[in-house]
Amino acid sequence: MADPKLGVYICSDCGIGGALDIEALENIAKNQYRVENVQSVPFLCSQEGTQMIKDEINNQGVNKIVIAACSPRVHYDEFDFDPSKYVTERVNLREHVVWSQMGGAEEAPEAAAEAPAAAAAAAAPVEAEPAAPAVNEFTQEMAEDHLRMGIVRAQKSEPPEPAIMDVEKTVLVIGGGATGLNTALESAKAGYKVILTEKEAELGGWARKMYKILPDKAPFEDVKAPNIDEKIAAVQAHENITVLTGANIDRIEGMPGQYDATISQNGSANTHRIGSVVLAIGWKPYDAKKLDNLGYGEFKNVVTNVEMESMAVAGSGSIARPSDGKQAKRVAFLQCAGQRDPEHLPYCSSVCCMTSLKQALYVTESDADANAFIIYKDMRTPGLYENFYKAAQNNPGVMLTKGEVTSITEDGTGNIVLEIDNTILGEKVRVEADMLVLATGMVTNMLPEGVEKVTDMTPEYIGQWKETETQDGIIKEVIADPVALNLAYRQGPELPYLKYGFPDSHFVCFPYETRRTGIYTAGAVRAPMTALQSANDGVGAALKAIQSVELAAQGKAVHPRSGDESFPEINFTNCTQCRRCTVECPFGVLDEEENGTPKTNTSRCRRCGTCMGACPQRIISFKNYSVGMIADQMKAIKVPEEDSKPRIIALICENDAYPALDIAGLNRIKTNPFYRFITMRCLGGTNLVWIADALSAGIEGFLLIGCRFDDDYQCHFIKGSKAANERLGKVQETLSRLMLESERVQQVQLAMNEWDQLPKIMNDFADQLKEFGPNPFKGF
């Protein structure tokens, strides 16, 4: 960029000017940081305010802009100056300072812990005669420190230089079932080329093996014949789609926009340049051989719901029982067979209840005198499928009862006898049926064949191997052969797991995303769902696959920092090949050279900064985010000599902790005035050097406030918050060297909707620091 010229612009409205000494803030910028362009106006977000900033940019060459006003989560359009030319730093004086602190010189810091009602009473006017608003000492000091940190951050930032690249606008769709077919069609309609691979000899997947499918249109009451052949014909006829059946993926290497996929078919292999990948390989039924307690494998007339479907296809709707080929006139269905069971499938497959209702209709439609009995724990028919449930209830041949099957036996004729307890009426029920259908669950095809129990597949498994850190380095334990992708990634050939073999993603916010940028999952491979849901899921995945390629071409991140043009830069000269960055990156961005030097893959990066925090040499940085920048922000905090004015640094995650503080401010919840907030892209970027430097400079303590991690994690960067927590486990040595208590550094997990807990969290930590006594380094 041109010679840097800083401009500081302070808003004095929304209560800011009434609570703070604006002139003192201006003087900090002018005198301490020699900023020539310093302005304060009411409502900086107004047309007048934003035009004033634009005039100084255009006429006076300002290219680093500090906006000291409201949260960056609001008015972002008003302060959206071209990030490729200008640095814009937002200092949150409104929500994080003025609205969350006491006003008036008479207020004591202890008031921060009091209830909002007391705060309102304290803020009530005492005199009717107008007077200049008193400025609270602690609130003013907080605002001044935050302004200093914002100015330093702007000084240390440079506009990012996007890694623009040539991309291939082709989507590789793996799996030719309902999901894959829809993904291929929608991608092709958007103008992208598609390579659709299917390992079987024909397209269609499970949908082609169904006698009838669930309702897919309002009023969602009647089953219908499969229409998958129409979809197959549309795919085969589309000029932008290349179909490869009997095909397998031998290897995928590269990065979004520039992947090379080696695909084998009919004994030969070819490499194709592709831009992104959608994995739509579907599901498989749970192995019913493990359900011998339910009679499967012991009694011929006990079958699974998948086998029942095949029987309906073979008999054109008429069901012939396996033992003697006679038409089954009384068929029992047992729901949750091996599901919601910690010994088998701990989860509900969500589709099985509707499948049993559908198959019960096969029985009654093929013979008006036939009956179907459905025994359930709970019937789950979400959304408009409730109409389908009601339609089945109204069928005189279908009986549903809640209950627990206590016994399954076979009589001399091959009939299955079920004893049922805990029914709705409280009575024991005995059902004699020609057949019993077990509603077995859906297992993702991501689950390797070598894994016996789905409960073994937890986040500690990376791809198809488990990584264990030892004194001798990282040990990789292979647990199964690759399933579908065969990625040439340092972190493994397949997608990392969340639970039960399902691919890991931030399920609530980014359901299609995996931990491999540019590779998306859709359909039942990522979660149990119906064919209709899977087809719709394929549309969403197609849009994400296209988006990743388009943004890769512009050098921008896809998510969650969508549009971010920065990228970590590595000073390889000082790299010690410790492998911390390649191991800790949640997204497999970095591969390794033979000597262990990290190898970058630009468009894989999510810009979280976890690598920056992992590096002990501090050689990884972004142009607008670095270890040195955060360290200088901490140095900008003015540490008073008085013990009554402790300074506590809170590193806050931008995705949960920051908005939680915003919401607390919006609700005028008062927080402790001695905290200074430094925003992190993710707590995974926390570098331990900051802690030693800041504590040795007199800071009383560090509180890291980030997303929840482990089983119910909410971290937008998957495991950044957990990585920070693990790193803090190693800070004891540093604190012992400084002769300080290890409890001076703590991390708390906070969801955005837990904003009301912030005062207690902050006050409890401050009280604990007070018990330790002042930091002995204060004043040195």
Side-chain angles (χ1 to χ4, degrees):
M1 69 184 300
D3 292 340
K5 186 170 184 179
L6 193 66
V8 175
Y9 307 99
I10 305 171
C11 181
S12 61
D13 227 305
C14 290
I16 297 174
L20 300 176
D21 183 342
I22 300 298
E23 184 177 353
L25 294 176
E26 291 177 341
N27 289 334
I28 286 174
K30 292 175 182 177
N31 301 330
Q32 293 186 24
Y33 295 95
R34 300 291 187 265
V35 181
E36 296 178 2
N37 296 74
V38 180
Q39 302 281 355
S40 61
V41 295
F43 296 113
L44 195 58
C45 60
S46 66
Q47 184 175 357
E48 178 185 356
T50 56
Q51 188 60 49
M52 178 265 293
I53 298 173
K54 292 175 183 177
D55 289 343
E56 296 210 347
I57 290 172
N58 296 328
N59 301 328
Q60 300 185 39
V62 171
N63 51 22
K64 292 192 173 185
I65 306 147
V66 175
I67 306 292
C70 51
S71 168
R73 294 173 62 84
V74 298
H75 295 307
Y76 32 81
D77 289 334
E78 287 83 348
F79 302 122
D80 182 19
F81 305 108
D82 187 348
S84 66
K85 297 179 181 179
Y86 311 110
V87 170
T88 303
E89 180 62 30
R90 302 280 298 271
V91 177
N92 191 341
L93 294 182
R94 190 177 72 173
E95 288 85 350
H96 288 190
V97 182
V98 171
W99 285 1
S100 59
Q101 297 302 316
M102 291 296 179
E106 75 282 358
E107 297 291 353
E110 289 78 8
E114 295 181 3
V126 178
E127 301 287 344
E129 181 180 342
V135 173
N136 182 288
E137 176 186 5
F138 303 107
T139 304
Q140 181 70 23
E141 289 175 351
M142 188 178 193
E144 291 177 359
D145 277 341
H146 278 84
L147 181 61
R148 292 187 186 98
M149 291 191 292
I151 291 173
V152 167
R153 193 161 184 145
Q155 288 177 330
K156 297 293 182 179
S157 292
E158 297 293 332
E161 298 175 4
I164 295 173
M165 56 192 287
D166 294 328
V167 298
E168 175 61 41
K169 295 189 176 184
T170 298
V171 178
L172 172 63
V173 179
I174 305 175
T179 309
L181 291 169
N182 230 33
T183 303
L185 276 174
E186 296 301 323
S187 299
K189 289 177 183 178
Y192 267 56
K193 294 181 180 179
V194 177
I195 298 174
L196 174 62
T197 68
E198 168 56 51
K199 68 177 182 178
E200 303 295 338
E202 59 181 20
L203 300 174
W206 284 106
R208 201 162 194 172
K209 301 175 182 178
M210 301 291 176
Y211 175 61
K212 295 283 182 71
I213 61 173
L214 294 171
D216 60 1
K217 292 181 181 178
F220 286 85
E221 293 178 348
D222 302 313
V223 296
K224 57 180 287 186
N227 58 355
I228 197 68
D229 289 337
E230 298 174 15
K231 192 79 71 175
I232 293 171
V235 165
Q236 292 173 331
H238 204 292
E239 62 180 1
N240 283 351
I241 302 176
T242 300
V243 177
L244 302 176
T245 55
N248 290 290
I249 309 300
D250 293 341
R251 182 181 177 88
I252 297 176
E253 57 185 326
M255 55 185 166
Q258 295 182 355
Y259 280 119
D260 289 314
T262 303
I263 304 171
S264 60
Q265 183 188 34
N266 301 324
S268 63
N270 294 288
T271 300
H272 305 262
R273 174 55 64 98
I274 58 171
S276 55
V277 182
V278 175
L279 185 67
I281 58 175
W283 62 281
K284 55 191 171 188
Y286 183 69
D287 185 2
K289 294 177 183 176
K290 300 176 182 178
L291 303 176
D292 52 1
N293 62 310
L294 300 180
Y296 188 85
E298 180 180 0
F299 308 132
K300 290 184 179 181
N301 293 326
V302 176
V303 300
T304 67
N305 46 9
V306 171
E307 292 168 339
M308 175 70 169
E309 198 69 34
S310 298
M311 294 162 66
V313 171
S316 299
S318 179
I319 309 300
R321 71 178 191 169
S323 64
D324 52 18
K326 294 181 179 179
Q327 183 178 4
K329 291 181 174 290
R330 293 171 59 85
V331 180
F333 295 82
L334 178 57
Q335 299 309 107
C336 298
Q339 298 183 73
R340 302 165 70 186
D341 182 342
E343 296 301 315
H344 297 284
L345 293 185
Y347 55 86
C348 167
S349 293
S350 76
V351 181
C352 309
C353 289
M354 293 181 286
T355 298
S356 291
L357 291 172
K358 177 187 74 169
Q359 293 178 346
L361 296 180
Y362 296 168
V363 176
T364 60
E365 288 176 359
S366 63
D367 187 336
D369 295 326
N371 297 105
F373 304 87
I374 300 177
I375 303 104
Y376 61 88
K377 292 181 182 178
D378 303 283
M379 286 299 292
R380 296 185 173 180
T381 53
L384 289 175
Y385 282 115
E386 183 73 10
N387 293 339
F388 183 48
Y389 175 40
K390 291 178 180 178
Q393 282 182 310
N394 293 332
N395 187 316
V398 178
M399 187 194 83
L400 298 100
T401 182
K402 183 180 180 73
E404 178 182 343
V405 174
T406 58
S407 171
I408 300 175
T409 57
E410 184 183 63
D411 66 13
T413 65
N415 289 344
I416 305 300
V417 180
L418 296 92
E419 301 287 344
I420 307 168
D421 201 355
N422 295 325
T423 61
I424 293 176
L425 298 177
E427 300 177 354
K428 293 185 178 181
V429 176
R430 184 176 185 273
V431 173
E432 182 177 324
D434 298 332
M435 278 176 52
L436 172 62
V437 180
L438 303 179
T440 52
M442 303 169 74
V443 177
T444 174
N445 273 331
M446 277 296 297
L447 190 76
E449 294 295 336
V451 176
E452 289 296 318
K453 293 180 66 175
V454 297
T455 49
D456 291 339
M457 304 311 297
T458 60
E460 66 181 334
Y461 290 96
I462 307 296
Q464 299 298 300
W465 58 56
K466 176 182 178 182
E467 290 194 344
T468 306
E469 184 175 351
T470 69
Q471 292 182 343
D472 299 323
I474 302 297
I475 295 178
K476 297 177 182 177
E477 175 188 354
V478 178
I479 60 170
D481 293 331
V483 175
L485 292 170
N486 280 291
L487 298 172
Y489 278 49
R490 179 250 181 265
Q491 289 189 2
E494 298 294 335
L495 300 176
Y497 303 110
L498 181 60
K499 284 183 179 179
Y500 318 133
F502 292 107
D504 197 0
S505 72
H506 191 291
F507 189 83
V508 176
C509 297
F510 311 109
Y512 304 108
E513 310 290 356
T514 69
R515 281 173 56 182
R516 301 293 175 256
T517 309
I519 301 175
Y520 303 92
T521 55
V525 69
R526 74 171 184 87
M529 59 183 74
T530 66
L532 175 61
Q533 292 168 329
S534 295
N536 291 335
D537 212 46
V539 179
L543 293 173
K544 292 300 296 184
I546 292 170
Q547 181 193 45
S548 72
V549 177
E550 294 293 328
L551 290 179
Q554 302 170 51
K556 296 179 179 179
V558 181
H559 76 284
R561 296 182 59 83
S562 182
D564 188 348
E565 296 179 341
S566 66
F567 182 79
E569 299 172 355
I570 304 175
N571 180 3
F572 291 103
T573 304
N574 295 327
C575 179
T576 61
Q577 292 81 40
C578 70
R579 294 180 167 87
R580 290 293 172 201
C581 56
T582 61
V583 171
E584 291 196 28
C585 174
F587 308 109
V589 172
L590 301 169
D591 291 324
E592 291 174 3
E593 305 288 359
E594 290 184 5
N595 66 350
T597 300
K599 178 182 177 182
T600 59
N601 295 279
T602 311
S603 55
R604 292 185 194 175
C605 183
R606 309 260 177 110
R607 282 72 166 176
C608 63
T610 298
C611 56
M612 182 183 86
C615 180
Q617 297 297 106
R618 291 168 280 172
I619 61 170
I620 302 177
S621 63
F622 300 74
K623 286 191 178 298
N624 54 4
Y625 187 61
S626 66
V627 173
M629 173 193 293
I630 305 298
D632 285 345
Q633 282 188 275
M634 295 178 181
K635 292 175 185 175
I637 298 171
K638 186 177 180 181
V639 180
E641 293 184 5
E642 303 99 307
D643 292 341
S644 60
K645 295 181 178 181
R647 291 294 179 260
I648 307 167
I649 290 177
L651 299 180
I652 57 173
C653 148
E654 69 180 9
N655 290 303
D656 269 307
Y658 196 104
L661 279 164
D662 275 358
I663 298 170
L666 288 167
N667 285 276
R668 305 306 196 271
I669 299 295
K670 305 307 175 185
T671 58
N672 191 296
F674 301 129
Y675 279 80
R676 302 296 181 259
F677 303 117
I678 295 179
T679 308
M680 303 289 293
R681 295 182 176 187
C682 175
L683 287 191
T686 303
N687 196 294
L688 297 184
V689 69
W690 298 333
I691 295 173
D693 289 351
L695 290 177
S696 61
I699 295 295
E700 296 293 338
F702 266 84
L703 185 63
L704 281 67
I705 310 177
C707 307
R708 297 197 170 278
F709 55 84
D710 286 333
D711 287 348
D712 296 317
Y713 77 82
Q714 296 173 6
C715 179
H716 283 54
F717 295 105
I718 309 297
K719 64 174 187 176
S721 189
K722 184 176 182 180
N725 186 258
E726 291 172 349
R727 248 176 252 151
L728 289 187
K730 303 171 185 176
V731 81
Q732 177 68 51
E733 180 182 345
T734 300
L735 296 179
S736 297
R737 189 172 66 250
L738 295 173
M739 303 292 288
L740 292 172
E741 299 83 359
S742 61
E743 292 82 4
R744 287 184 183 269
V745 182
Q746 294 183 21
Q747 179 175 345
V748 295
Q749 302 177 54
L750 184 81
M752 188 190 305
N753 62 356
E754 295 172 329
W755 52 269
D756 57 327
Q757 299 179 22
L758 279 168
K760 184 177 188 309
I761 291 171
M762 295 167 65
N763 286 326
D764 286 351
F765 184 57
D767 289 344
Q768 191 173 3
L769 293 175
K770 189 175 181 179
E771 291 177 4
F772 296 146
N775 183 342
F777 290 95
K778 181 182 288 189
F780 287 90

